[in-house]
Amino acid sequence: MTGHDHYFTAQPASPDERRAITVELAGRTLQVETAGGVFSPDHVDLGTQVLLRTVPAPPSTGDLLDLGCGWGPVALSLALASPHARVWAVDVNERALDLVRRNAERVGASNVVAALPDDVPDDVRFAALWSNPPIRVGKEALHALLLRWLPRRAPGGEAHLVVGKNLGADSLQRWLAEQLGPTSSVDRTASAKGFRVLTVRDR
């Protein structure tokens, strides 16, 4: 990966060399395709593992969102757990979106829609939002991202975010509580291996 080639780049400059890896998702052993230029291409990263281990089962129907999907471990987990829901896998990285589409097809998850942020219709409201958000894009971009998507929860919909403790999980929790106001609660619902899971829900 070159110095300028981040996983939150729209079109990564690194070679698009695809490789297959075996992962455990939604209680199944799956073979998926990854490539350089996307987040954690060699394995399911630790933060995502903590998220997937600690969140409640997703709603069985409705629109579900994986924000910052990478090659798709969260989106695939949502889709396999809730085959009658529609799962939006959203990322700015076009290589990541291509990988998600291919991986969804590979594991038989026909309910995944991989989309750029602006391609998600404005009227879609999410019954659940799961995310390992791209903390390293910087505070301003991260805050804008969360304030764009968190208010799009459907009534009763919960958002679960995994954030490294050393990457500011506690300050992010306070900031979200301030921004979202008294109609929402922002709670730390899990803590493991240096990560916090923050849950946003209606009061």
Side-chain angles (χ1 to χ4, degrees):
M1 191 180 285
T2 67
H4 302 291
D5 188 10
H6 297 288
Y7 56 84
F8 41 82
T9 299
Q11 293 177 314
S14 60
D16 191 359
E17 294 170 357
R18 303 296 172 101
R19 54 189 177 273
I21 62 171
T22 301
V23 295
E24 296 281 335
L25 295 172
R28 291 165 56 175
T29 301
L30 306 171
Q31 193 172 65
V32 296
E33 192 176 296
T34 73
V38 299
F39 178 62
S40 191
D42 299 318
H43 62 286
V44 180
D45 68 285
L46 195 52
T48 297
Q49 289 179 40
V50 169
L51 179 74
L52 293 174
R53 271 205 306 272
T54 57
V55 289
S60 58
T61 59
D63 288 288
L64 314 179
L65 174 62
D66 172 9
L67 181 60
C69 61
W71 55 260
V74 171
L76 296 175
S77 297
L78 286 166
L80 293 170
S82 299
H84 300 295
R86 179 168 57 169
V87 177
W88 295 86
V90 171
D91 207 299
V92 297
N93 183 326
E94 292 172 9
R95 184 178 299 172
L97 295 177
D98 181 60
L99 287 166
V100 171
R101 290 185 191 105
R102 294 169 70 96
N103 287 330
E105 187 175 349
R106 183 180 277 230
V107 304
S110 59
N111 54 331
V112 173
V113 182
L116 294 165
D118 290 343
D119 292 341
V120 180
D122 290 339
D123 59 349
V124 173
R125 293 293 175 267
F126 300 103
L129 184 164
W130 291 8
S131 182
N132 182 349
I135 299 297
R136 297 179 192 281
V137 297
K139 191 174 283 190
E140 192 173 320
L142 175 71
H143 286 177
L145 179 78
L146 294 176
L147 288 183
R148 175 177 182 176
W149 294 98
L150 287 173
R152 294 183 63 174
R153 291 176 298 118
E158 295 185 352
H160 302 279
L161 313 172
V162 65
V163 183
K165 183 181 174 187
N166 65 340
L167 293 175
D170 295 341
S171 60
L172 182 66
Q173 180 183 356
R174 290 191 294 272
W175 180 84
L176 283 172
E178 290 168 7
Q179 294 295 317
L180 297 174
T183 58
S184 301
S185 67
V186 184
D187 301 305
R188 191 171 86 211
T189 49
S191 187
K193 300 188 186 303
F195 290 91
R196 310 273 204 228
V197 176
L198 305 180
T199 299
V200 180
R201 53 169 74 97
D202 298 336
R203 284 196 188 278

